[in-house]
Amino acid sequence: MDFKEYQKLAMRTKNKQLIKDQQLLNAALGLNGEAGELADEIKKIFFHGHGLNKDKLIKETGDILWYIALLADAIGVDMETIAEKNIEKLKKRYPEGFSSERSIHRQD
């Protein structure tokens, strides 16, 4: 499945009664909530003695992906464009791959 297909299928489950501004707010708040759930799961692994539960991490990451699709839809862009622009930015920032030196002295 590619990003365009995912976004199309994911948006079948969005609340179609929301106007774009509300959809954007829903996406931003949802992303933060789901990122918090993912962070909480990882916290439990490192500090509460829980084992790594890949299925739980996959589900939470999938929820994050859904909210990214919602945000993309709200601003009228497809996720593929977002992914491509992110790779372009990373190639400029780290042309030879990640380096601590380039990270410390970043010029965006």
Side-chain angles (χ1 to χ4, degrees):
M1 175 181 302
D2 62 25
F3 280 131
K4 286 183 180 180
E5 182 180 4
Y6 174 84
Q7 189 173 357
K8 179 183 173 188
L9 293 172
M11 290 304 91
R12 290 177 43 252
T13 61
K14 75 176 183 178
N15 182 343
K16 292 174 178 55
Q17 295 178 355
L18 299 181
I19 62 171
K20 292 297 180 182
D21 286 351
Q22 292 170 324
Q23 185 176 320
L24 188 61
L25 182 59
N26 186 26
L29 295 174
L31 273 169
N32 277 281
E34 294 300 336
E37 289 185 36
L38 180 66
D40 192 55
E41 187 63 26
I42 292 171
K43 175 200 69 178
K44 289 175 183 176
I45 294 166
F46 284 93
F47 301 108
H48 295 188
H50 292 217
L52 176 69
N53 183 337
K54 279 187 178 181
D55 190 52
K56 179 73 172 165
L57 296 178
I58 289 168
K59 287 178 182 176
E60 295 303 339
T61 303
D63 291 343
I64 291 168
L65 191 60
W66 188 91
Y67 280 107
I68 291 170
L70 183 65
L71 188 140
D73 184 73
I75 63 172
V77 68
D78 59 67
M79 291 173 67
E80 190 170 305
T81 299
I82 292 172
E84 288 168 353
K85 290 193 177 288
N86 182 251
I87 293 300
E88 288 172 17
K89 178 183 81 172
L90 292 173
K91 283 181 177 178
K92 286 179 186 173
R93 188 176 291 168
Y94 302 111
E96 306 300 321
F98 177 80
S99 79
S100 294
E101 183 68 22
R102 286 190 70 94
S103 178
I104 293 167
H105 303 288
R106 208 169 82 190
Q107 296 176 356
D108 286 334

Short mmCIF file of all heavy atoms in Angstrom, two decimals, residues 24-50:
data_model
loop_
_atom_site.label_atom_id
_atom_site.label_comp_id
_atom_site.label_asym_id
_atom_site.label_seq_id
_atom_site.Cartn_x
_atom_site.Cartn_y
_atom_site.Cartn_z
N LEU A 24 -8.36 20.40 11.02
CA LEU A 24 -6.96 20.69 11.31
C LEU A 24 -6.69 20.64 12.81
O LEU A 24 -5.71 20.04 13.25
CB LEU A 24 -6.60 22.06 10.74
CG LEU A 24 -5.14 22.47 10.77
CD1 LEU A 24 -4.27 21.51 9.95
CD2 LEU A 24 -4.99 23.89 10.24
N LEU A 25 -7.58 21.22 13.59
CA LEU A 25 -7.45 21.18 15.05
C LEU A 25 -7.56 19.75 15.57
O LEU A 25 -6.78 19.33 16.43
CB LEU A 25 -8.51 22.08 15.69
CG LEU A 25 -8.47 22.20 17.20
CD1 LEU A 25 -7.12 22.75 17.68
CD2 LEU A 25 -9.61 23.09 17.68
N ASN A 26 -8.52 19.00 15.04
CA ASN A 26 -8.68 17.61 15.44
C ASN A 26 -7.41 16.82 15.14
O ASN A 26 -6.96 16.01 15.96
CB ASN A 26 -9.88 17.00 14.69
CG ASN A 26 -10.22 15.60 15.15
OD1 ASN A 26 -9.95 15.20 16.27
ND2 ASN A 26 -10.82 14.84 14.25
N ALA A 27 -6.82 17.07 13.98
CA ALA A 27 -5.58 16.36 13.60
C ALA A 27 -4.44 16.71 14.54
O ALA A 27 -3.72 15.83 15.02
CB ALA A 27 -5.21 16.70 12.16
N ALA A 28 -4.27 17.99 14.83
CA ALA A 28 -3.16 18.42 15.70
C ALA A 28 -3.31 17.86 17.11
O ALA A 28 -2.35 17.34 17.69
CB ALA A 28 -3.08 19.94 15.74
N LEU A 29 -4.52 17.94 17.65
CA LEU A 29 -4.74 17.42 19.00
C LEU A 29 -4.65 15.89 19.02
O LEU A 29 -4.09 15.31 19.96
CB LEU A 29 -6.10 17.89 19.52
CG LEU A 29 -6.23 19.40 19.74
CD1 LEU A 29 -7.67 19.76 20.11
CD2 LEU A 29 -5.25 19.90 20.77
N GLY A 30 -5.19 15.26 17.99
CA GLY A 30 -5.11 13.81 17.91
C GLY A 30 -3.68 13.31 17.80
O GLY A 30 -3.31 12.32 18.44
N LEU A 31 -2.87 13.99 17.00
CA LEU A 31 -1.46 13.62 16.88
C LEU A 31 -0.77 13.68 18.23
O LEU A 31 -0.01 12.77 18.60
CB LEU A 31 -0.73 14.55 15.91
CG LEU A 31 -0.77 14.18 14.45
CD1 LEU A 31 -0.26 15.33 13.59
CD2 LEU A 31 0.07 12.93 14.20
N ASN A 32 -1.02 14.75 18.96
CA ASN A 32 -0.40 14.89 20.27
C ASN A 32 -0.87 13.81 21.24
O ASN A 32 -0.07 13.25 21.99
CB ASN A 32 -0.68 16.29 20.85
CG ASN A 32 0.29 17.29 20.31
OD1 ASN A 32 1.42 17.36 20.77
ND2 ASN A 32 -0.12 18.04 19.30
N GLY A 33 -2.15 13.52 21.22
CA GLY A 33 -2.67 12.47 22.09
C GLY A 33 -2.08 11.11 21.78
O GLY A 33 -1.66 10.37 22.68
N GLU A 34 -2.03 10.78 20.49
CA GLU A 34 -1.51 9.47 20.10
C GLU A 34 0.00 9.38 20.33
O GLU A 34 0.51 8.32 20.73
CB GLU A 34 -1.85 9.17 18.65
CG GLU A 34 -3.34 9.00 18.39
CD GLU A 34 -3.99 7.87 19.17
OE1 GLU A 34 -3.29 6.92 19.59
OE2 GLU A 34 -5.22 7.93 19.36
N ALA A 35 0.71 10.48 20.10
CA ALA A 35 2.16 10.48 20.38
C ALA A 35 2.39 10.27 21.87
O ALA A 35 3.34 9.57 22.27
CB ALA A 35 2.79 11.79 19.90
N GLY A 36 1.52 10.85 22.69
CA GLY A 36 1.61 10.63 24.13
C GLY A 36 1.38 9.17 24.50
O GLY A 36 2.06 8.63 25.38
N GLU A 37 0.42 8.54 23.84
CA GLU A 37 0.16 7.12 24.11
C GLU A 37 1.35 6.26 23.70
O GLU A 37 1.73 5.31 24.41
CB GLU A 37 -1.11 6.66 23.39
CG GLU A 37 -2.37 7.23 24.00
CD GLU A 37 -3.63 6.67 23.35
OE1 GLU A 37 -3.65 5.48 22.98
OE2 GLU A 37 -4.60 7.44 23.22
N LEU A 38 1.97 6.60 22.57
CA LEU A 38 3.17 5.87 22.13
C LEU A 38 4.31 6.07 23.13
O LEU A 38 4.98 5.12 23.53
CB LEU A 38 3.59 6.33 20.74
CG LEU A 38 4.82 5.65 20.15
CD1 LEU A 38 4.56 4.17 19.89
CD2 LEU A 38 5.23 6.36 18.86
N ALA A 39 4.50 7.31 23.55
CA ALA A 39 5.56 7.62 24.53
C ALA A 39 5.30 6.88 25.84
O ALA A 39 6.24 6.37 26.47
CB ALA A 39 5.64 9.13 24.76
N ASP A 40 4.05 6.82 26.26
CA ASP A 40 3.72 6.12 27.50
C ASP A 40 4.05 4.64 27.41
O ASP A 40 4.56 4.05 28.36
CB ASP A 40 2.24 6.32 27.84
CG ASP A 40 1.90 5.87 29.24
OD1 ASP A 40 2.56 6.35 30.19
OD2 ASP A 40 0.98 5.04 29.39
N GLU A 41 3.76 4.05 26.26
CA GLU A 41 4.08 2.63 26.06
C GLU A 41 5.59 2.41 26.13
O GLU A 41 6.06 1.45 26.75
CB GLU A 41 3.52 2.16 24.71
CG GLU A 41 3.66 0.67 24.48
CD GLU A 41 2.89 -0.19 25.47
OE1 GLU A 41 1.87 0.26 26.04
OE2 GLU A 41 3.32 -1.35 25.69
N ILE A 42 6.36 3.30 25.53
CA ILE A 42 7.83 3.17 25.56
C ILE A 42 8.35 3.42 26.97
O ILE A 42 9.28 2.74 27.43
CB ILE A 42 8.46 4.11 24.51
CG1 ILE A 42 8.09 3.59 23.10
CG2 ILE A 42 9.97 4.21 24.69
CD1 ILE A 42 8.44 4.51 21.97
N LYS A 43 7.75 4.37 27.68
CA LYS A 43 8.12 4.63 29.08
C LYS A 43 7.96 3.35 29.90
O LYS A 43 8.82 3.01 30.71
CB LYS A 43 7.25 5.73 29.65
CG LYS A 43 7.48 5.98 31.15
CD LYS A 43 6.31 6.72 31.79
CE LYS A 43 5.10 5.80 31.84
NZ LYS A 43 3.92 6.35 32.46
N LYS A 44 6.86 2.65 29.69
CA LYS A 44 6.60 1.42 30.44
C LYS A 44 7.67 0.36 30.18
O LYS A 44 8.03 -0.40 31.07
CB LYS A 44 5.21 0.88 30.11
CG LYS A 44 4.10 1.74 30.68
CD LYS A 44 2.74 1.26 30.23
CE LYS A 44 1.65 2.17 30.74
NZ LYS A 44 0.32 1.78 30.24
N ILE A 45 8.18 0.32 28.95
CA ILE A 45 9.24 -0.64 28.61
C ILE A 45 10.50 -0.32 29.40
O ILE A 45 11.12 -1.21 30.01
CB ILE A 45 9.52 -0.62 27.10
CG1 ILE A 45 8.31 -1.14 26.32
CG2 ILE A 45 10.77 -1.43 26.76
CD1 ILE A 45 8.35 -0.86 24.82
N PHE A 46 10.89 0.95 29.42
CA PHE A 46 12.17 1.34 30.02
C PHE A 46 12.12 1.55 31.52
O PHE A 46 13.13 1.34 32.19
CB PHE A 46 12.70 2.61 29.33
CG PHE A 46 13.28 2.33 27.98
CD1 PHE A 46 12.49 2.45 26.85
CD2 PHE A 46 14.59 1.90 27.84
CE1 PHE A 46 13.01 2.17 25.60
CE2 PHE A 46 15.12 1.62 26.59
CZ PHE A 46 14.33 1.75 25.47
N PHE A 47 10.97 1.94 32.07
CA PHE A 47 10.94 2.30 33.48
C PHE A 47 9.99 1.48 34.35
O PHE A 47 10.05 1.56 35.57
CB PHE A 47 10.61 3.79 33.64
CG PHE A 47 11.60 4.67 32.94
CD1 PHE A 47 11.26 5.34 31.78
CD2 PHE A 47 12.90 4.81 33.44
CE1 PHE A 47 12.18 6.16 31.13
CE2 PHE A 47 13.83 5.62 32.79
CZ PHE A 47 13.47 6.29 31.64
N HIS A 48 9.11 0.69 33.73
CA HIS A 48 8.15 -0.09 34.51
C HIS A 48 8.35 -1.59 34.36
O HIS A 48 7.55 -2.36 34.88
CB HIS A 48 6.71 0.27 34.11
CG HIS A 48 6.34 1.68 34.44
ND1 HIS A 48 5.05 2.13 34.31
CD2 HIS A 48 7.05 2.75 34.87
CE1 HIS A 48 4.99 3.41 34.65
NE2 HIS A 48 6.19 3.80 34.98
N GLY A 49 9.35 -1.99 33.62
CA GLY A 49 9.64 -3.41 33.47
C GLY A 49 8.76 -4.16 32.50
O GLY A 49 8.75 -5.38 32.49
N HIS A 50 7.97 -3.44 31.68
CA HIS A 50 7.14 -4.12 30.69
C HIS A 50 8.01 -4.62 29.55
O HIS A 50 9.02 -4.01 29.21
CB HIS A 50 6.10 -3.15 30.11
CG HIS A 50 5.06 -2.72 31.09
ND1 HIS A 50 3.76 -2.53 30.74
CD2 HIS A 50 5.12 -2.43 32.42
CE1 HIS A 50 3.06 -2.14 31.79
NE2 HIS A 50 3.87 -2.07 32.82
#
